[in-house]
Amino acid sequence: MPKMKTRRSAAKRFKVTGAGKIKRNKAYHSHILTKKSPKRKRALDQTGTVAAADVKRVKKMILE
């Protein structure tokens, strides 16, 4: 049986923490920034965690 390949697009977007949670970057911070408040832009700089409903699927994609 051949090994499963890592989905490279997912591997570049997600990282697994020491506790086993999956970190992700927030969307809406690449363009059209003039109308967004500084507070909102700072919040978008922070990392978020993947929702519990998606964890199993993401872990399978990045083979962790």
Side-chain angles (χ1 to χ4, degrees):
M1 192 70 187
K3 293 180 182 178
M4 280 184 60
K5 288 188 176 181
T6 299
R7 293 191 189 205
R8 299 309 298 161
S9 59
K12 292 170 187 176
R13 286 170 171 80
F14 302 105
K15 297 285 179 261
V16 180
T17 65
K21 294 179 183 177
I22 302 176
K23 291 197 316 185
R24 64 172 178 84
N25 288 319
K26 293 183 179 175
Y28 306 112
H29 193 59
S30 57
H31 60 96
I32 314 177
L33 299 173
T34 51
K35 64 173 82 172
K36 294 171 187 161
S37 70
K39 180 180 178 180
R40 182 174 168 194
K41 288 187 276 191
R42 280 196 307 274
L44 292 171
D45 272 336
Q46 307 297 315
T47 56
T49 54
V50 172
D54 299 319
V55 168
K56 184 178 177 183
R57 182 170 35 203
V58 173
K59 278 190 175 181
K60 189 174 181 182
M61 286 195 288
I62 59 177
L63 299 177
E64 288 289 336

